[in-house]
Amino acid sequence: MAGANVNLNSLARHLGDWRAAGSEDVAYRSLADALKGLVLDGRLPLDARLPGERRLAEGLGVSRITVSAALDRLRADGFLTSRVGSGTFTALPFSRAERLEGLFHVAPGPEVMNMATAVLPAGAPVHAAYARALESLPPHLPGHGYDPIGLLPLRRAVAEAYVRDGLPTGPEQIVVTAGAQNGLGIVLRAFARPGDAVVIDHPTYPHAIEAVVRAGLRPVPVALTAAGWDIDGLIGTIQRVRPRLVYLLGAHQNPTGHVLSAQDEAAVARAVAGVGGLLVLDDTQRELWFERAPPGPAAPGPHVVRLGSMSKTWWGGLRIGWIRADVDVADAVVRARASMDLGTAVIEQLAAAHLLAGDQTPVIERRRALAGREAALSARLRLRLPTWETTRPPGGLSLWVALPRPVAADLVVQAQTHGVILAPGTRFGIDGAFQRFVRLPYCLPETELETAVDRLADAWAELGDRPARRAKAPEPDLF
């Protein structure tokens, strides 16, 4: 997003009702605080150029003196930098080298509670599916075992699931992968070249960001609002940047839980088609809804790719995913994957096929369990940490929690001393964004979730009003 111009209309929408009644002095402080919050929350990307003072004043309906004073305050605090002849750009008051980086591994133990990993354990149906897969394996053993497309029974089961969801699909449109993350990597390899832009929603799944960066591509974040996607801002960015790919988590977005409406999905798909790009929709948490299923896929076409996975719905250890795409796109994917892998494990595919084609009652039970655990987690947060802000998602695996202050790094460190592994919001953004957020999965049993919140409340109380740290803090693995 380096060097991008901040759209004044989008900025005004993100600022919302920032005005405070009172003197001009109060107004400039309120504007400065609101702009600072947008930078910290990731809704204003870093190194993006603000409109000029006169345009800002006119667009926000305030005096130029108010705007000038607010910008001066932000420059002094390190949230803006000015470049002679270029303009004023967003920044953070610490270097990119000081971002939270690396991995933090904690040995498992009864006193350690993992509130960073958003996956469920395997149930009895997974064990049964593996047993049936072993029985189904012998006919496949005489072959070489390499299959870049995937076993036909599994591809049929996946295609039938899409048909039930309202999206006509044949098995020839399915390519089986070792999880959705592997599928994304293959799509990036097949359709993008180093230096190409990839538009992403922001915040987003951290390993997707890593996949984009490691492929030599340029992630272009478009901030989510409190209600979901800024469709005008997203379409405007697509038209301006003309990305090779657009990657969105449409249902239920990780980490926010938002669901992209059918109308918005179709609008984004049209915009992507208009610039000759590819829209990649990650559906890995689509089946994990509470009361109402997300809208059926609304964006078929040769420029739309969908990613799916067994990991979130059934078990993280079942490393099976898939790519649903137009036949020509699927063929290009198969040609490109040989440099990354030679196919997916046969026994895993057989187990996945048995699960998808079998009784779906376990999925219904998981939805009910997750809804109950979310309710328990939210209730405990309201009781013990009432200043932490969150909104109940319509599904998914986690809450996106806003802290009263941008101290996620400190909280992660403090929580570890209380035996809780926590995912800071910065892990889900680019260049240190989302320091005011943490992601809290509700995958543990309800009593354990309540204990985890009690420990977090103790850690939060110990933080007091200390300023946010600028040094590195360890991070957990995130899934």
Side-chain angles (χ1 to χ4, degrees):
M1 198 69 181
N5 294 321
V6 174
N7 181 277
L8 183 55
N9 292 330
S10 291
L11 176 61
R13 284 196 298 272
H14 281 297
L15 282 170
D17 186 17
W18 61 269
R19 293 172 177 80
S23 66
E24 196 82 345
D25 175 70
V26 174
Y28 95 81
R29 291 176 186 270
S30 297
L31 178 57
D33 289 343
L35 288 169
K36 181 189 298 184
L38 294 184
V39 173
L40 288 171
D41 290 357
R43 285 179 283 169
L44 264 182
L46 295 182
D47 203 27
R49 185 171 63 182
L50 293 178
E53 290 184 3
R54 188 183 302 278
R55 284 193 62 222
L56 267 178
E58 293 173 353
L60 300 179
V62 296
S63 71
R64 188 171 178 180
I65 294 175
T66 296
V67 170
S68 180
L71 299 188
D72 285 344
R73 182 184 180 94
L74 291 171
R75 290 188 192 95
D77 290 344
F79 287 91
L80 292 179
T81 60
S82 293
R83 305 170 192 169
V84 177
S86 296
T88 299
F89 296 80
T90 55
L92 284 174
F94 44 87
S95 71
R96 294 182 181 182
E98 293 172 322
R99 288 182 303 160
L100 299 178
E101 295 177 338
L103 298 173
F104 179 57
H105 301 276
V106 176
E111 299 304 317
V112 176
M113 308 189 73
N114 189 339
M115 287 291 285
T117 302
V119 289
L120 291 165
V126 174
H127 185 200
Y130 271 98
R132 293 188 63 191
L134 282 172
E135 296 173 357
S136 306
L137 183 61
H140 299 274
L141 294 177
H144 52 63
Y146 295 126
D147 186 353
I149 302 174
L151 298 182
L152 182 58
L154 176 55
R155 290 188 288 118
R156 281 178 175 161
V158 173
E160 289 168 2
Y162 279 112
V163 171
R164 288 193 299 270
D165 213 14
L167 183 60
T169 304
E172 70 280 0
Q173 294 177 265
I174 304 299
V175 178
V176 178
T177 63
Q181 180 72 10
N182 175 241
L184 175 59
I186 295 171
V187 170
L188 294 174
R189 176 71 62 88
F191 296 101
R193 297 295 177 266
D196 284 349
V198 178
V199 170
I200 60 174
D201 39 17
H202 200 224
T204 192
Y205 182 52
H207 295 311
I209 298 175
E210 292 168 1
V212 170
V213 172
R214 289 176 180 175
L217 308 174
R218 179 167 55 92
V220 181
V222 178
L224 293 168
T225 69
W229 288 262
D230 176 6
I231 297 300
D232 291 341
L234 181 57
I235 291 175
T237 300
I238 291 169
Q239 293 171 341
R240 175 178 58 80
V241 175
R242 303 183 70 84
R244 191 67 194 91
L245 291 98
V246 175
Y247 170 83
L248 303 178
L249 293 120
H252 303 82
Q253 206 268 353
N254 184 5
T256 66
H258 293 311
V259 173
L260 190 64
S261 71
Q263 179 181 359
D264 288 343
E265 181 179 304
V268 174
R270 287 193 298 270
V272 175
V275 300
L278 203 66
L279 173 61
V280 181
L281 293 166
D282 190 328
D283 290 336
T284 51
Q285 296 194 36
R286 184 177 186 85
E287 293 300 312
L288 300 177
W289 44 273
F290 296 156
E291 284 85 28
R292 182 189 304 175
H303 60 288
V304 178
V305 172
R306 309 192 82 96
L307 304 177
S309 173
M310 301 294 291
S311 298
K312 299 298 186 181
T313 305
W314 292 96
W315 182 42
L318 182 52
R319 302 307 306 148
I320 291 293
W322 53 83
I323 299 167
R324 188 271 179 207
D326 181 78
V327 172
D328 290 340
V329 173
D331 288 343
V333 163
V334 172
R335 291 193 302 271
R337 76 178 301 177
S339 62
M340 299 181 66
D341 63 52
L342 298 176
T344 309
V346 173
I347 192 73
E348 305 278 331
Q349 293 188 66
L350 292 171
H354 286 305
L355 288 169
L356 288 177
D359 182 14
Q360 298 302 294
T361 300
V363 178
I364 298 172
E365 293 173 347
R366 289 204 157 199
R367 291 175 188 146
R368 292 172 180 162
L370 286 170
R373 293 177 182 187
E374 185 281 326
L377 175 60
S378 293
R380 200 67 168 189
L381 286 171
R382 288 191 296 270
L383 177 66
R384 296 299 312 275
L385 292 160
T387 61
W388 290 20
E389 299 176 8
T390 187
T391 302
R392 185 176 190 263
L397 292 165
S398 58
L399 296 177
W400 186 235
V401 181
L403 307 174
R405 308 189 308 279
V407 290
D410 297 83
L411 182 60
V412 167
V413 173
Q414 200 69 26
Q416 288 169 15
T417 67
H418 290 264
V420 179
I421 310 171
L422 197 62
T426 49
R427 192 74 173 85
F428 300 85
I430 294 174
D431 291 331
F434 308 114
Q435 296 193 59
R436 200 170 59 86
F437 290 85
V438 292
R439 187 189 72 168
L440 297 182
Y442 36 83
C443 299
L444 298 175
E446 294 175 16
T447 55
E448 293 184 30
L449 290 172
E450 292 172 352
T451 300
V453 172
D454 291 343
R455 294 182 182 184
L456 290 176
D458 293 339
W460 181 253
E462 292 172 2
L463 282 182
D465 294 324
R466 72 179 67 172
R469 70 170 57 229
R470 296 188 180 184
K472 290 182 182 178
E475 287 188 348
D477 288 317
L478 296 179
F479 301 97

